[in-house]
Amino acid sequence: MAPTAGTLILDFDQSVLPLPDSTRIDLTRWQEEIRFGCRLKSLRKLEEATAPALAQQPRLVMMGSGDYHHLTH
């Protein structure tokens, strides 16, 4: 099992301010495709794009505004 990393910011909309001990992934290009809801195909592509960072087992994942709550699934 990988060691636990710090906070991971999945930056869809630049709504999360910089945090100490955090890693930020720029996902702004996904903003409109993923916002509010999306097709399963898009969700799977996003999962592939974020898998390496999530494999580091971050202590906390921040995703921006509530427009992306469906991604917690």
Side-chain angles (χ1 to χ4, degrees):
M1 183 179 295
T4 303
T7 301
L8 175 62
I9 300 170
L10 301 178
D11 190 5
F12 291 101
D13 59 4
Q14 300 176 335
S15 65
V16 179
L17 298 174
L19 299 168
D21 189 30
S22 67
T23 301
R24 180 178 297 270
I25 299 176
D26 182 0
L27 296 171
T28 53
R29 72 175 191 84
W30 290 86
Q31 187 176 51
E32 294 307 315
E33 183 175 352
I34 301 296
R35 178 175 247 141
F36 301 121
C38 63
R39 297 186 176 274
L40 190 54
K41 181 179 177 179
S42 296
L43 191 58
R44 287 187 176 139
K45 288 191 310 186
L46 178 65
E47 182 179 16
E48 289 175 20
T50 57
L54 292 170
Q56 298 299 312
Q57 298 180 357
R59 289 189 307 256
L60 179 66
V61 177
M62 304 289 290
M63 292 186 285
S65 70
D67 296 355
Y68 305 96
H69 68 277
H70 57 287
L71 300 178
T72 61
H73 172 70

